[in-house]
Amino acid sequence: MTSETITATAAGTWTLGDLTVNRIGFGAMRLTGSAAFHLGTPSDRQRSVAVLRRAVELGVDHIDTAAFYFSSLRSANEIINSALSPYSDDLVIVTKVGPYRDWSGEWGTSARPEDLRGHVEENLRQLGRDHLDVVNLRRMGQDSIAEHFGALAELRDKGLIRHLGISNVAPRHLAEAQAVAPVVCVQNRFGLGSGTPGTDEMLRMCGEQGIAFVPFFAIAGEGAEQGATTGHDDAVLTIAEAHGATPAQIRLAWTLAQGPHVLAIPGTGNPDHLAENVAAGALRLTDGELDTLNSLHRKAG
């Protein structure tokens, strides 16, 4: 694969409400450092700015971020603002609310419904926008999300938010949210090396209902916030070699092959990895390769 010549359009498109995006997007978590949050060393700011601008040049029009994505020196939202403002009309920025980190980087108490307006306004301020394209409610263990989702629906009615999504949820939470307001996307942890019956069921439900399913840690796997996994099954390595691709690209290609409604938001602060991630949208696995990888996924679940 010639990564530098492939753009995000190769992966095809999907629609979030009335917003059409390329299925390969960009996750901003890794813009701030060698690992997410306060777990690594802060990034070089100019390099992060350059990565974002290159992502847009490569056709990425869907960026996932949050106000709590920051390290000791860097804020993902501030970098996005500096790199891409004034924003193109076709650039969709998706944020999430619910979790909270204080100024020192420590995790605080998760938001109550009445706190969510402050979370939304903080994202607006940092990004320099008057509305947010999509806001995901990140469930933080509560049994019911109705009250929290209802608070976001009120902000949508006020024009601060265009569309709503949910994250870290079980299938029953989708129905609960839909009873309050339309849901355009679901963000859950999902990847070749990880899965649960509930998330696999959510993937299916979203496909049937025309809702975008947006996995996080699709490449990172067990590495999670620390970054991409370095442990790959022999089958993944064999398939990667057959395509002249990296194992990370195979993981992304498998993720996208789970359905036309599946979006990918791989994140990186490395421009070479960025080009490889985008190029994975052009990789087409054979039926036999998909069967092999699907079997690996079932075993991991």
Side-chain angles (χ1 to χ4, degrees):
M1 299 174 70
T2 307
S3 296
E4 294 298 331
T5 62
I6 299 173
T7 69
T9 59
T13 62
W14 190 256
T15 302
L16 299 169
D18 60 351
L19 303 170
T20 299
V21 297
N22 291 321
R23 292 175 63 211
I24 284 277
F26 181 86
M29 179 184 286
R30 297 295 301 282
L31 282 177
T32 64
S34 60
F37 313 129
H38 59 292
L39 302 176
T41 57
S43 63
D44 178 87
R45 186 176 181 280
Q46 289 308 311
R47 189 185 198 212
S48 294
V49 167
V51 165
L52 269 177
R53 290 175 176 167
R54 181 59 179 153
V56 172
E57 290 174 358
L58 289 172
V60 171
D61 55 8
H62 165 215
I63 296 175
D64 178 82
T65 188
F68 54 86
Y69 286 177
F70 63 88
S71 67
S72 59
L73 293 179
R74 304 281 177 257
S75 156
N77 281 354
E78 184 277 327
I79 293 172
I80 292 168
N81 190 344
S82 297
L84 303 179
S85 180
Y87 301 103
S88 169
D89 289 341
D90 61 359
L91 180 64
V92 175
I93 297 182
V94 180
T95 60
K96 63 185 69 65
V97 296
Y100 171 74
R101 294 173 68 208
D102 65 23
W103 61 270
S104 69
E106 294 303 313
W107 292 100
T109 303
S110 300
R112 295 176 55 81
E114 60 267 25
D115 299 327
L116 292 178
R117 176 161 189 149
H119 287 213
V120 167
E121 290 179 342
E122 181 64 10
N123 278 282
L124 288 170
R125 183 190 67 78
Q126 293 177 3
L127 291 165
R129 304 196 64 164
D130 61 6
H131 76 280
L132 299 174
D133 296 319
V134 182
V135 173
N136 286 308
L137 172 66
R138 169 81 173 187
R139 186 177 74 94
M140 298 299 292
Q142 66 267 39
D143 183 62
S144 169
I145 63 170
E147 192 175 358
H148 287 76
F149 197 73
L152 290 181
E154 291 178 5
L155 298 179
R156 188 198 62 160
D157 293 342
K158 295 179 184 298
L160 297 181
I161 301 170
R162 192 162 177 175
H163 297 294
L164 297 173
I166 51 179
S167 176
N168 196 36
V169 292
R172 62 185 175 83
H173 296 118
L174 176 57
E176 188 179 32
Q178 287 174 311
V180 176
V183 174
V184 302
C185 58
V186 173
Q187 269 194 13
N188 270 14
R189 182 169 183 163
F190 179 83
L192 181 57
S194 64
T196 63
T199 294
D200 288 350
E201 173 68 6
M202 181 70 80
L203 169 68
R204 182 191 64 78
M205 290 171 58
C206 286
E208 291 177 349
Q209 299 181 39
I211 297 169
F213 182 79
V214 190
F216 56 86
F217 298 150
I219 294 179
E222 294 305 310
E225 292 90 350
Q226 295 285 358
T229 182
T230 56
H232 301 288
D233 190 278
D234 287 345
V236 175
L237 296 174
T238 299
I239 294 171
E241 183 177 2
H243 286 271
T246 67
Q249 287 176 311
I250 298 302
R251 288 174 178 271
L252 277 177
W254 176 84
T255 299
L256 291 169
Q258 300 310 299
H261 65 298
V262 178
L263 308 184
I265 49 170
T268 182
N270 183 315
D272 293 332
H273 291 169
L274 166 69
E276 290 176 357
N277 290 343
V278 171
L283 201 161
R284 300 294 182 263
L285 301 172
T286 68
D287 290 344
E289 290 167 343
L290 284 172
D291 287 344
T292 296
L293 297 174
N294 289 340
S295 177
L296 288 178
H297 175 69
R298 286 191 294 270
K299 290 178 182 177

